Amino acid sequence: MGLEMMAVGMVLALFALLLIGIPVPFALAASGIVFGVFGFGISLFGLLPLRVYGVVTNYTLLAIPLFVFMGVMLEKSRLAERMLDVIGHVAGARPGGMTVAIIIVGVLMGASTGIVAATVVTVGLISLPTLLARQYNKALACGTICAAGTLGQIIPPSLVLIVLADISGESVGTLFAGALIPGLLLSGLYVIYLVIMAKLKPHTMPPIDAAERATVDNRTLMIDLAKVVAPPLVLIVLVLGSIIGGVAAPTEAASVGAIGAIVLVACTGRLTRKVMSDTVISTFKITGMTLFVLIAAQVFSLAFRGLGGDRLIDSLFAFLPGGVWGGILFMMALVFLLGFFLDWIEISYILMPLLLPYFQAQGVDLAWLCILVAMNLQTSFLTPPFGWSLFYLKGVAPPEISTRDIYVGVLPYIGIQFLTLALLCLMPALVTWLPKAIGW
């Protein structure tokens, strides 16, 4: 009992360190080492070198820097700017056309970058001044940009899904296939909402005026569409299709995507020394942060389990009403609340290794559960007052955009995300059908 109370103290110490501003990896390692040594002595960490070695030699995790490189290369080359401009002109003849274009670009960016901050900042810098100049409602414009930017959390090849696959033991291909329909469903519900709003309140999202549309003829527009949108789309389809179809492992497919991104940017004449240098540096930073948290989490996880934390978790779930569903709702609420304060990487490596063994023992489909977690993490990115996407957009928004505009704008999209999460709970086949259909 004393050791289990130390496990509780270790968790409380972790959150205390986070609240006073200690970086997550150092907080994880410090709380794990201190409580582990007091509880068991230094011998508890005899397995730590093997666990760290297992992390740094994990072949699946090699897909992370490769997918990050692919996404950052497309982002640094400013291909998203051209995509938004072309798709915006194609859809801009109707009220709300520009916002629908933003959702489409968000899907394409999410499927190529998987990095929420990069997508929100890029789309915000490109589109927000244009939307304001065209008299779009401020809150609607801000909410749409934030929502589109977070699609990279659920649409493959999401870094969240790669990390959850490593933690849960499920294959990356299974999670990618399981997330495809939910990601497209969420994007489709966003578009339906915008179409309805365009019918009800067309003055809040006016079409591009005829004079501006007349500057680009339809033939030129179609050529631009083929040049700008088709190549990234083909690259995404080839990479994801090879993984989901079982033709290539995620790491091999990611390497093809990285090379494809270089070729694509080179063909557009935007491959410069600066673009390559910035891409490599950003890739190292993002990958280093992810792996540093993962290695520190090994210290925390080893100490927690050594102190009997697993038994504590089982006892906790036994007290919850509703059985397994009660446990799922508890975990969803915990993930949502932690999303206010922690990034998805920290939540994944702190919470999921502690809770997943219980659900695995209860026979819950871990692939379905991981997609629920990924969708939940995406919701937390938008929720005021601490949603990360809100901060990202505020950092690049013009002075006339207030924090209230951003908060009000995301509320309908939060409702749509909760609706999608409820649909995935009520109809698990939305997640499980595709992996079973293709034999994962």
Side-chain angles (χ1 to χ4, degrees):
M1 185 63 185
L3 291 179
E4 291 178 355
M5 290 307 296
M6 290 190 72
V8 174
M10 185 173 69
V11 174
L12 295 176
L14 169 63
F15 284 104
L17 291 173
L18 294 176
L19 287 174
I20 64 175
I22 301 298
V24 171
F26 297 111
L28 280 169
S31 56
I33 290 173
V34 170
F35 281 86
V37 169
F38 272 108
F40 269 98
I42 199 69
S43 61
L44 177 64
F45 297 100
L47 293 175
L48 186 59
L50 289 176
R51 297 186 70 157
V52 173
Y53 181 78
V55 170
V56 297
T57 58
N58 189 324
Y59 188 65
T60 301
L61 292 179
L62 189 58
I64 292 178
L66 293 170
F67 276 129
V68 169
F69 181 92
M70 169 183 161
V72 175
M73 173 62 73
L74 295 177
E75 183 243 324
K76 295 290 184 185
S77 63
R78 303 183 68 184
L79 286 180
E81 184 174 345
R82 285 288 294 135
M83 279 196 293
L84 187 59
D85 185 53
V86 172
I87 297 174
H89 272 87
V90 171
R94 297 179 178 275
M98 282 296 296
T99 51
V100 172
I102 288 171
I103 297 298
I104 295 172
V105 170
V107 172
L108 294 175
M109 289 283 288
S112 60
T113 66
I115 305 167
V116 171
T119 306
V120 172
V121 170
T122 301
V123 176
L125 285 171
I126 297 167
S127 64
L128 191 51
T130 304
L131 293 177
L132 296 178
R134 289 172 176 158
Q135 305 302 311
Y136 269 67
N137 177 271
K138 292 179 183 179
L140 179 69
C142 293
T144 303
I145 292 169
C146 288
T150 59
L151 288 171
Q153 286 284 97
I154 191 68
I155 293 179
S158 163
L159 299 185
V160 178
L161 299 177
I162 297 174
V163 167
L164 290 176
D166 177 64
I167 294 171
S168 66
E170 295 289 323
S171 72
V172 175
T174 299
L175 293 194
F176 279 8
L180 194 58
I181 292 177
L184 295 177
L185 172 64
L186 181 63
S187 307
L189 291 176
Y190 285 169
V191 172
I192 291 171
Y193 162 71
L194 291 170
V195 170
I196 293 173
M197 285 296 293
K199 293 287 185 183
L200 297 177
K201 298 180 178 180
H203 61 281
T204 63
M205 48 177 75
I208 299 176
D209 61 78
E212 185 178 348
R213 294 200 309 272
T215 59
V216 183
D217 61 85
N218 288 336
R219 183 173 179 276
T220 303
L221 202 56
M222 291 301 106
I223 292 174
D224 285 343
L225 197 64
K227 285 182 177 179
V228 176
V229 179
L233 188 59
V234 169
L235 178 63
I236 292 165
V237 169
L238 288 176
V239 171
L240 292 184
S242 63
I243 297 172
I244 295 174
V247 178
T251 303
E252 285 80 7
S255 64
V256 172
I259 296 296
I262 295 174
V263 173
L264 183 59
V265 173
C267 290
T268 63
R270 298 175 182 235
L271 185 60
T272 63
R273 183 183 181 89
K274 186 177 188 313
V275 167
M276 180 61 79
S277 173
D278 289 348
T279 300
V280 171
I281 291 171
S282 295
T283 300
F284 273 119
K285 285 181 179 178
I286 295 170
T287 305
M289 176 189 68
T290 303
L291 292 181
F292 191 22
V293 173
L294 175 52
I295 290 171
Q298 302 304 310
V299 181
F300 184 87
S301 175
L302 187 63
F304 186 80
R305 294 189 177 189
L307 294 172
D310 288 354
R311 295 189 299 274
L312 202 62
I313 295 292
D314 289 339
S315 301
L316 172 64
F317 280 115
F319 278 109
L320 291 174
V324 173
W325 273 107
I328 291 174
L329 292 176
F330 171 75
M331 184 177 73
M332 291 294 107
L334 201 55
V335 169
F336 180 74
L337 292 174
L338 287 177
F340 289 155
F341 311 103
L342 302 178
D343 201 353
W344 65 268
I345 302 173
E346 289 88 35
I347 296 173
S348 299
Y349 284 125
I350 293 172
L351 190 65
M352 301 311 294
L354 305 182
L355 302 186
L356 283 182
Y358 167 80
F359 293 107
Q360 188 173 26
Q362 298 299 316
V364 175
D365 187 329
L366 291 188
W368 169 71
L369 194 63
C370 286
I371 301 304
L372 293 185
V373 170
M375 184 69 73
N376 198 345
L377 287 171
Q378 180 173 342
T379 303
S380 68
F381 263 82
L382 288 181
T383 307
F386 302 114
W388 291 96
S389 293
L390 314 181
F391 295 143
Y392 297 147
L393 182 61
K394 181 60 179 173
V396 298
E400 61 266 31
I401 295 295
S402 67
T403 302
R404 183 181 182 278
D405 292 328
I406 299 175
Y407 284 5
V408 171
V410 298
L411 293 180
Y413 292 101
I414 295 171
I416 294 171
Q417 288 189 336
F418 278 126
L419 172 62
T420 308
L421 190 58
L423 290 174
L424 298 184
C425 289
L426 295 173
M427 293 182 284
L430 290 171
V431 173
T432 59
W433 175 79
L434 185 57
K436 290 178 180 177
I438 60 179
W440 277 101

